[in-house]
Amino acid sequence: MQIQNEVSLKSYNTFGIDVKAQKFVEVTQIADLQQLLAQTTEPILILGGGSNILFTQNFEGLVIKIKLKGIEVIQENEDFVWLEVAAGEVWHELVLYCVAQGYGGIENLSLIPGTVGAAPMQNIGAYGVEIREVLEQVQAIHRNTGEIHTFNNESCNFGYRESIFKNIHKDQYVITGVTLKLSKKPTFNTSYGAIQDTLKANKVETLSLKAISDAVCQIRSSKLPNPAEIGNAGSFFKNPVIPQSQFEALQKRFPNIVGYPLPEAQVKVPAGWLIENSGWKGKRFGNIGVHTRQALVLVNYGGGDGAAIRKLSQDIQASVLDKFGVEIKPEINIV
Ligand code: EPU
């Protein structure tokens, strides 16, 4: 384990923002992580795949990049398999492994950037599936005591893009691994219209994990910019949830508005629709902007400044609030 000084974080965040970490270290062993947490007095930033973060300035402290690796079957029966996966595994590689092994449950979550350890943090979700549906346990180290805790599904308090690790336990734990319960006799989730359309276009007659994973990859590639080509962190904002009465009032003024009914007379409104209909989609300001095909995604065309992206996000929030009276909040961490 080697601590380096003044390291550029450009290749460690998918937005591609070129800020520096005062100190930087990669950890491959839990014991090393415990030692660092115990000894470090300066601020610490834990980094997974860097796919849900916007750096607006240099980080004056120690950045710890989690590189814990390993995928292990710890239990199985006729119907299910329990996989213990280390936090530093790349999420999409895990999905591909599971698809190849015939383990069902996360194929709809194909091509989500980032690492396994970050997945429970915001309960990653896409195309009708969230990780909470297959997550049995989260293993995490308490930052102050160095003790290893195991959280079961219920105690993670999952919600839409939410977990206990973002709320009451914010910055208190480092996730080191997860246990997933996957199905050997999968039922396929094709509830999302775009998946059905793509399967049809691909002339898929017999559903399989691979057919679904391929369809999801196709949909994502067609809508979302590839971070290897254009810097971005996926959805910048969460989809706001508003009272049904407010949605109905908006519908009178904006008949094309999109909304998905939720329990308790609430409606989830796609922030992408609100942003597009406030005139931001595809807008470019120098080397940053709003993606041309998905207004929910802010992009860095190269050499962009994180603080300028934050300012753009604030301008978008203000204009959506002004036009629709709806507050949209960032989904990503701004540092
Ligand atoms: N829409 C627009 N304009 C846009 C974008 C979207 O009008 O520029 C409308 C679409 O027409 C559609 C609706 O918004 O009716 C929903 O769009 P989409 O299916 O693309 O999904 P989303 O709500 O924009 C969410 C997740 C994505 C996830 C997709 C698919 C959030 C914040 N985002 O996006 O997650 O891939 O659903 O399930 O919940 C991510 O978190 O980084 C991410 C990409």
PDB file of all heavy atoms in Angstrom, residues 69-76 81-86 89 94 97 103 178-180 182:
ATOM      1  N   LYS A  69     -11.196  -7.034  -4.186  1.00  0.00           N
ATOM      2  CA  LYS A  69     -11.707  -7.865  -5.282  1.00  0.00           C
ATOM      3  C   LYS A  69     -12.150  -9.230  -4.786  1.00  0.00           C
ATOM      4  O   LYS A  69     -11.626  -9.742  -3.792  1.00  0.00           O
ATOM      5  CB  LYS A  69     -10.617  -8.058  -6.348  1.00  0.00           C
ATOM      6  CG  LYS A  69     -10.190  -6.769  -7.034  1.00  0.00           C
ATOM      7  CD  LYS A  69     -11.180  -6.334  -8.073  1.00  0.00           C
ATOM      8  CE  LYS A  69     -10.676  -5.083  -8.782  1.00  0.00           C
ATOM      9  NZ  LYS A  69     -11.586  -4.596  -9.780  1.00  0.00           N
ATOM     10  N   GLY A  70     -13.055  -9.839  -5.507  1.00  0.00           N
ATOM     11  CA  GLY A  70     -13.452 -11.219  -5.228  1.00  0.00           C
ATOM     12  C   GLY A  70     -14.946 -11.450  -5.423  1.00  0.00           C
ATOM     13  O   GLY A  70     -15.763 -10.628  -5.012  1.00  0.00           O
ATOM     14  N   ILE A  71     -15.266 -12.560  -6.090  1.00  0.00           N
ATOM     15  CA  ILE A  71     -16.661 -12.993  -6.245  1.00  0.00           C
ATOM     16  C   ILE A  71     -16.685 -14.454  -5.798  1.00  0.00           C
ATOM     17  O   ILE A  71     -15.933 -15.269  -6.334  1.00  0.00           O
ATOM     18  CB  ILE A  71     -17.139 -12.924  -7.714  1.00  0.00           C
ATOM     19  CG1 ILE A  71     -17.005 -11.502  -8.268  1.00  0.00           C
ATOM     20  CG2 ILE A  71     -18.565 -13.427  -7.844  1.00  0.00           C
ATOM     21  CD1 ILE A  71     -17.386 -11.367  -9.744  1.00  0.00           C
ATOM     22  N   GLU A  72     -17.515 -14.758  -4.809  1.00  0.00           N
ATOM     23  CA  GLU A  72     -17.500 -16.109  -4.252  1.00  0.00           C
ATOM     24  C   GLU A  72     -18.919 -16.614  -4.020  1.00  0.00           C
ATOM     25  O   GLU A  72     -19.756 -15.889  -3.470  1.00  0.00           O
ATOM     26  CB  GLU A  72     -16.765 -16.066  -2.901  1.00  0.00           C
ATOM     27  CG  GLU A  72     -16.294 -17.411  -2.435  1.00  0.00           C
ATOM     28  CD  GLU A  72     -15.749 -17.332  -0.996  1.00  0.00           C
ATOM     29  OE1 GLU A  72     -15.340 -16.230  -0.564  1.00  0.00           O
ATOM     30  OE2 GLU A  72     -15.778 -18.359  -0.311  1.00  0.00           O
ATOM     31  N   VAL A  73     -19.183 -17.854  -4.449  1.00  0.00           N
ATOM     32  CA  VAL A  73     -20.475 -18.486  -4.128  1.00  0.00           C
ATOM     33  C   VAL A  73     -20.364 -18.998  -2.701  1.00  0.00           C
ATOM     34  O   VAL A  73     -19.518 -19.842  -2.408  1.00  0.00           O
ATOM     35  CB  VAL A  73     -20.769 -19.661  -5.091  1.00  0.00           C
ATOM     36  CG1 VAL A  73     -22.038 -20.401  -4.660  1.00  0.00           C
ATOM     37  CG2 VAL A  73     -20.904 -19.160  -6.522  1.00  0.00           C
ATOM     38  N   ILE A  74     -21.202 -18.483  -1.796  1.00  0.00           N
ATOM     39  CA  ILE A  74     -21.066 -18.914  -0.401  1.00  0.00           C
ATOM     40  C   ILE A  74     -22.143 -19.925   0.005  1.00  0.00           C
ATOM     41  O   ILE A  74     -22.037 -20.563   1.031  1.00  0.00           O
ATOM     42  CB  ILE A  74     -21.063 -17.715   0.587  1.00  0.00           C
ATOM     43  CG1 ILE A  74     -22.304 -16.823   0.383  1.00  0.00           C
ATOM     44  CG2 ILE A  74     -19.787 -16.913   0.466  1.00  0.00           C
ATOM     45  CD1 ILE A  74     -22.519 -15.881   1.556  1.00  0.00           C
ATOM     46  N   GLN A  75     -23.174 -20.042  -0.829  1.00  0.00           N
ATOM     47  CA  GLN A  75     -24.250 -20.978  -0.524  1.00  0.00           C
ATOM     48  C   GLN A  75     -25.052 -21.160  -1.796  1.00  0.00           C
ATOM     49  O   GLN A  75     -25.155 -20.234  -2.608  1.00  0.00           O
ATOM     50  CB  GLN A  75     -25.138 -20.346   0.558  1.00  0.00           C
ATOM     51  CG  GLN A  75     -26.123 -21.289   1.213  1.00  0.00           C
ATOM     52  CD  GLN A  75     -27.072 -20.516   2.147  1.00  0.00           C
ATOM     53  OE1 GLN A  75     -26.700 -19.499   2.717  1.00  0.00           O
ATOM     54  NE2 GLN A  75     -28.285 -21.005   2.270  1.00  0.00           N
ATOM     55  N   GLU A  76     -25.619 -22.365  -1.977  1.00  0.00           N
ATOM     56  CA  GLU A  76     -26.560 -22.513  -3.080  1.00  0.00           C
ATOM     57  C   GLU A  76     -27.488 -23.681  -2.849  1.00  0.00           C
ATOM     58  O   GLU A  76     -27.183 -24.602  -2.101  1.00  0.00           O
ATOM     59  CB  GLU A  76     -25.860 -22.621  -4.444  1.00  0.00           C
ATOM     60  CG  GLU A  76     -24.999 -23.806  -4.706  1.00  0.00           C
ATOM     61  CD  GLU A  76     -24.294 -23.685  -6.072  1.00  0.00           C
ATOM     62  OE1 GLU A  76     -24.971 -23.446  -7.089  1.00  0.00           O
ATOM     63  OE2 GLU A  76     -23.060 -23.837  -6.108  1.00  0.00           O
ATOM     64  N   VAL A  81     -28.678 -18.921  -5.534  1.00  0.00           N
ATOM     65  CA  VAL A  81     -27.254 -18.906  -5.228  1.00  0.00           C
ATOM     66  C   VAL A  81     -26.983 -17.610  -4.463  1.00  0.00           C
ATOM     67  O   VAL A  81     -27.585 -16.575  -4.749  1.00  0.00           O
ATOM     68  CB  VAL A  81     -26.416 -19.000  -6.532  1.00  0.00           C
ATOM     69  CG1 VAL A  81     -26.730 -17.852  -7.478  1.00  0.00           C
ATOM     70  CG2 VAL A  81     -24.940 -19.061  -6.258  1.00  0.00           C
ATOM     71  N   TRP A  82     -26.119 -17.737  -3.441  1.00  0.00           N
ATOM     72  CA  TRP A  82     -25.754 -16.550  -2.668  1.00  0.00           C
ATOM     73  C   TRP A  82     -24.320 -16.193  -3.028  1.00  0.00           C
ATOM     74  O   TRP A  82     -23.405 -16.999  -2.863  1.00  0.00           O
ATOM     75  CB  TRP A  82     -25.866 -16.832  -1.173  1.00  0.00           C
ATOM     76  CG  TRP A  82     -27.277 -16.842  -0.659  1.00  0.00           C
ATOM     77  CD1 TRP A  82     -27.906 -15.833   0.000  1.00  0.00           C
ATOM     78  CD2 TRP A  82     -28.243 -17.919  -0.755  1.00  0.00           C
ATOM     79  NE1 TRP A  82     -29.193 -16.207   0.319  1.00  0.00           N
ATOM     80  CE2 TRP A  82     -29.429 -17.470  -0.130  1.00  0.00           C
ATOM     81  CE3 TRP A  82     -28.225 -19.200  -1.320  1.00  0.00           C
ATOM     82  CZ2 TRP A  82     -30.576 -18.260  -0.046  1.00  0.00           C
ATOM     83  CZ3 TRP A  82     -29.371 -19.986  -1.240  1.00  0.00           C
ATOM     84  CH2 TRP A  82     -30.527 -19.517  -0.612  1.00  0.00           C
ATOM     85  N   LEU A  83     -24.136 -14.987  -3.514  1.00  0.00           N
ATOM     86  CA  LEU A  83     -22.809 -14.546  -3.960  1.00  0.00           C
ATOM     87  C   LEU A  83     -22.281 -13.479  -3.021  1.00  0.00           C
ATOM     88  O   LEU A  83     -22.975 -12.495  -2.747  1.00  0.00           O
ATOM     89  CB  LEU A  83     -22.911 -13.877  -5.327  1.00  0.00           C
ATOM     90  CG  LEU A  83     -22.937 -14.664  -6.617  1.00  0.00           C
ATOM     91  CD1 LEU A  83     -22.784 -13.693  -7.793  1.00  0.00           C
ATOM     92  CD2 LEU A  83     -21.830 -15.692  -6.645  1.00  0.00           C
ATOM     93  N   GLU A  84     -21.051 -13.674  -2.558  1.00  0.00           N
ATOM     94  CA  GLU A  84     -20.408 -12.609  -1.786  1.00  0.00           C
ATOM     95  C   GLU A  84     -19.456 -11.895  -2.733  1.00  0.00           C
ATOM     96  O   GLU A  84     -18.595 -12.537  -3.344  1.00  0.00           O
ATOM     97  CB  GLU A  84     -19.666 -13.219  -0.596  1.00  0.00           C
ATOM     98  CG  GLU A  84     -19.414 -12.216   0.500  1.00  0.00           C
ATOM     99  CD  GLU A  84     -18.881 -12.894   1.751  1.00  0.00           C
ATOM    100  OE1 GLU A  84     -19.691 -13.433   2.525  1.00  0.00           O
ATOM    101  OE2 GLU A  84     -17.653 -12.903   1.909  1.00  0.00           O
ATOM    102  N   VAL A  85     -19.640 -10.603  -2.856  1.00  0.00           N
ATOM    103  CA  VAL A  85     -18.869  -9.848  -3.849  1.00  0.00           C
ATOM    104  C   VAL A  85     -18.168  -8.677  -3.167  1.00  0.00           C
ATOM    105  O   VAL A  85     -18.791  -7.909  -2.427  1.00  0.00           O
ATOM    106  CB  VAL A  85     -19.789  -9.300  -4.971  1.00  0.00           C
ATOM    107  CG1 VAL A  85     -18.954  -8.726  -6.107  1.00  0.00           C
ATOM    108  CG2 VAL A  85     -20.722 -10.380  -5.495  1.00  0.00           C
ATOM    109  N   ALA A  86     -16.885  -8.540  -3.430  1.00  0.00           N
ATOM    110  CA  ALA A  86     -16.114  -7.457  -2.808  1.00  0.00           C
ATOM    111  C   ALA A  86     -16.444  -6.119  -3.467  1.00  0.00           C
ATOM    112  O   ALA A  86     -16.780  -6.042  -4.658  1.00  0.00           O
ATOM    113  CB  ALA A  86     -14.625  -7.749  -2.922  1.00  0.00           C
ATOM    114  N   GLU A  89     -15.176  -4.715  -7.033  1.00  0.00           N
ATOM    115  CA  GLU A  89     -15.494  -5.325  -8.332  1.00  0.00           C
ATOM    116  C   GLU A  89     -16.289  -4.323  -9.180  1.00  0.00           C
ATOM    117  O   GLU A  89     -17.119  -3.577  -8.656  1.00  0.00           O
ATOM    118  CB  GLU A  89     -16.339  -6.599  -8.129  1.00  0.00           C
ATOM    119  CG  GLU A  89     -15.575  -7.763  -7.512  1.00  0.00           C
ATOM    120  CD  GLU A  89     -14.581  -8.413  -8.477  1.00  0.00           C
ATOM    121  OE1 GLU A  89     -14.711  -8.220  -9.694  1.00  0.00           O
ATOM    122  OE2 GLU A  89     -13.675  -9.111  -7.986  1.00  0.00           O
ATOM    123  N   LEU A  94     -19.656  -7.807 -12.961  1.00  0.00           N
ATOM    124  CA  LEU A  94     -20.412  -8.747 -12.124  1.00  0.00           C
ATOM    125  C   LEU A  94     -21.690  -9.174 -12.847  1.00  0.00           C
ATOM    126  O   LEU A  94     -22.045 -10.358 -12.857  1.00  0.00           O
ATOM    127  CB  LEU A  94     -20.751  -8.101 -10.775  1.00  0.00           C
ATOM    128  CG  LEU A  94     -21.699  -8.916  -9.896  1.00  0.00           C
ATOM    129  CD1 LEU A  94     -21.024 -10.208  -9.404  1.00  0.00           C
ATOM    130  CD2 LEU A  94     -22.195  -8.100  -8.706  1.00  0.00           C
ATOM    131  N   TYR A  97     -20.850 -11.649 -15.510  1.00  0.00           N
ATOM    132  CA  TYR A  97     -20.516 -12.937 -14.885  1.00  0.00           C
ATOM    133  C   TYR A  97     -21.808 -13.684 -14.523  1.00  0.00           C
ATOM    134  O   TYR A  97     -21.956 -14.876 -14.822  1.00  0.00           O
ATOM    135  CB  TYR A  97     -19.647 -12.678 -13.644  1.00  0.00           C
ATOM    136  CG  TYR A  97     -19.512 -13.858 -12.703  1.00  0.00           C
ATOM    137  CD1 TYR A  97     -18.568 -14.858 -12.923  1.00  0.00           C
ATOM    138  CD2 TYR A  97     -20.346 -13.962 -11.585  1.00  0.00           C
ATOM    139  CE1 TYR A  97     -18.460 -15.937 -12.056  1.00  0.00           C
ATOM    140  CE2 TYR A  97     -20.245 -15.036 -10.717  1.00  0.00           C
ATOM    141  CZ  TYR A  97     -19.309 -16.017 -10.952  1.00  0.00           C
ATOM    142  OH  TYR A  97     -19.206 -17.083 -10.097  1.00  0.00           O
ATOM    143  N   TYR A 103     -27.273 -16.862 -13.377  1.00  0.00           N
ATOM    144  CA  TYR A 103     -27.800 -16.336 -12.113  1.00  0.00           C
ATOM    145  C   TYR A 103     -28.629 -15.083 -12.415  1.00  0.00           C
ATOM    146  O   TYR A 103     -28.101 -14.063 -12.850  1.00  0.00           O
ATOM    147  CB  TYR A 103     -26.665 -15.945 -11.160  1.00  0.00           C
ATOM    148  CG  TYR A 103     -25.687 -17.061 -10.818  1.00  0.00           C
ATOM    149  CD1 TYR A 103     -24.384 -16.756 -10.420  1.00  0.00           C
ATOM    150  CD2 TYR A 103     -26.063 -18.400 -10.874  1.00  0.00           C
ATOM    151  CE1 TYR A 103     -23.478 -17.759 -10.087  1.00  0.00           C
ATOM    152  CE2 TYR A 103     -25.161 -19.406 -10.550  1.00  0.00           C
ATOM    153  CZ  TYR A 103     -23.873 -19.080 -10.162  1.00  0.00           C
ATOM    154  OH  TYR A 103     -22.985 -20.063  -9.834  1.00  0.00           O
ATOM    155  N   VAL A 178     -20.838  -7.025  -0.568  1.00  0.00           N
ATOM    156  CA  VAL A 178     -22.283  -7.281  -0.503  1.00  0.00           C
ATOM    157  C   VAL A 178     -22.532  -8.769  -0.692  1.00  0.00           C
ATOM    158  O   VAL A 178     -21.709  -9.476  -1.277  1.00  0.00           O
ATOM    159  CB  VAL A 178     -23.076  -6.507  -1.589  1.00  0.00           C
ATOM    160  CG1 VAL A 178     -22.842  -5.016  -1.483  1.00  0.00           C
ATOM    161  CG2 VAL A 178     -22.734  -7.001  -2.988  1.00  0.00           C
ATOM    162  N   THR A 179     -23.669  -9.238  -0.185  1.00  0.00           N
ATOM    163  CA  THR A 179     -24.122 -10.595  -0.483  1.00  0.00           C
ATOM    164  C   THR A 179     -25.423 -10.484  -1.264  1.00  0.00           C
ATOM    165  O   THR A 179     -26.357  -9.814  -0.823  1.00  0.00           O
ATOM    166  CB  THR A 179     -24.357 -11.394   0.814  1.00  0.00           C
ATOM    167  OG1 THR A 179     -23.164 -11.332   1.598  1.00  0.00           O
ATOM    168  CG2 THR A 179     -24.685 -12.843   0.505  1.00  0.00           C
ATOM    169  N   LEU A 180     -25.431 -11.104  -2.443  1.00  0.00           N
ATOM    170  CA  LEU A 180     -26.623 -11.061  -3.298  1.00  0.00           C
ATOM    171  C   LEU A 180     -27.253 -12.449  -3.354  1.00  0.00           C
ATOM    172  O   LEU A 180     -26.539 -13.460  -3.391  1.00  0.00           O
ATOM    173  CB  LEU A 180     -26.254 -10.636  -4.720  1.00  0.00           C
ATOM    174  CG  LEU A 180     -25.512  -9.308  -4.895  1.00  0.00           C
ATOM    175  CD1 LEU A 180     -25.249  -9.047  -6.385  1.00  0.00           C
ATOM    176  CD2 LEU A 180     -26.305  -8.151  -4.305  1.00  0.00           C
ATOM    177  N   LEU A 182     -29.328 -14.595  -5.789  1.00  0.00           N
ATOM    178  CA  LEU A 182     -29.755 -14.591  -7.187  1.00  0.00           C
ATOM    179  C   LEU A 182     -30.452 -15.907  -7.518  1.00  0.00           C
ATOM    180  O   LEU A 182     -30.257 -16.921  -6.842  1.00  0.00           O
ATOM    181  CB  LEU A 182     -28.534 -14.374  -8.087  1.00  0.00           C
ATOM    182  CG  LEU A 182     -27.806 -13.044  -7.790  1.00  0.00           C
ATOM    183  CD1 LEU A 182     -26.463 -12.984  -8.491  1.00  0.00           C
ATOM    184  CD2 LEU A 182     -28.665 -11.852  -8.193  1.00  0.00           C
TER     185      LEU A 182
END
